[in-house]
Amino acid sequence: MGSDTSPTPSQTQQDEIYTTLRQWFSLGRFAPGERLKIRDLAVLMGSGIMPVRAALQRLCADGAVVNIPNAGVAVPRLSPVEFDDLLKLRMLLEGEAAERGSALLGAAGKHTLQALVHTMDKALNDADAKAYLAANDAFHVLLYKAAGSPLLFGLIDTLWLKAGPVSNRLFDTTDALKVLNHAHAELVTAITKGDHYGVRQAVEKDIFVAGQYIRRALTHDRKDASPSAQQ
């Protein structure tokens, strides 16, 4: 008889914690530069220390966190140059996934996208960053997974790990609240018309516009942290 390859309870718990933490990173629950304490996360997740430590090691390999000697792990900071590179890759890959997904999305999926646009509108009107980011995530996940390419979605998901921690900077200014949902509405209109390339353009616009607000915040942070600014 073959050996039992079923995951042990500890492996299953570690996988669940890892999956949850990945989602939290993608949704911007942790801020750039934030140090993550294993004991605090264990309490938050109602688990032991060991599975949390193992999950963080996996996230370190993913590039979501970095090891700080004698201080545990922390969320990495992105320089404006690194952020620009991330932005270009996101536009390239997400644009491709959006164009493919729009061609295969069914009627129920299209209806859900429209509903999520309304949810995001309400969140922006309420200045509710958490609700907006959650609906935004659901919107893009639905569209990209419709493309039917796990490899493509996996690459995008890895980029989201790096983009998530800076996503809350979208709400540093109320100016962003007025425009963040425009591209989503344009995307749904393009899907309705069967304009799949228009869907790609809408996603690229969405990422680019949001990126300019985030980049502005990152640049401002670096100026504040420069030696001349501290004199």
Side-chain angles (χ1 to χ4, degrees), residues 93 150-160:
L93 295 179
L151 176 59
L152 179 56
F153 185 81
L155 292 171
I156 292 169
D157 192 43
T158 297
L159 295 180
W160 283 348

Side-chain angles (χ1 to χ4, degrees), residues 7-112:
T8 64
S10 61
Q11 289 175 322
T12 300
Q13 185 183 39
Q14 181 196 129
D15 288 341
E16 290 174 351
I17 291 172
Y18 170 74
T19 299
T20 298
L21 287 175
R22 274 189 70 102
Q23 184 179 33
W24 286 358
F25 273 96
S26 296
L27 292 176
R29 181 154 182 170
F30 304 111
E34 182 177 351
R35 293 189 178 183
L36 303 180
K37 298 180 179 179
I38 294 176
R39 290 185 182 278
D40 291 347
L41 288 174
V43 171
L44 187 63
M45 307 189 83
S47 72
I49 291 174
M50 293 305 294
V52 172
R53 178 180 284 116
L56 286 174
Q57 289 174 345
R58 291 170 65 181
L59 286 165
C60 187
D62 292 337
V65 295
V66 292
N67 281 310
I68 306 296
N70 304 316
V73 299
V75 182
R77 298 181 185 274
L78 288 177
S79 70
V81 172
E82 291 171 328
F83 179 74
D84 287 344
D85 188 37
L86 175 62
L87 204 66
K88 291 174 183 176
L89 288 173
R90 285 192 59 199
M91 291 172 68
L92 179 67
L93 295 179
E94 293 184 45
E96 177 68 16
E99 184 171 359
R100 291 192 198 180
S102 67
L104 299 172
L105 196 65
K110 295 174 184 178
H111 178 76
T112 300

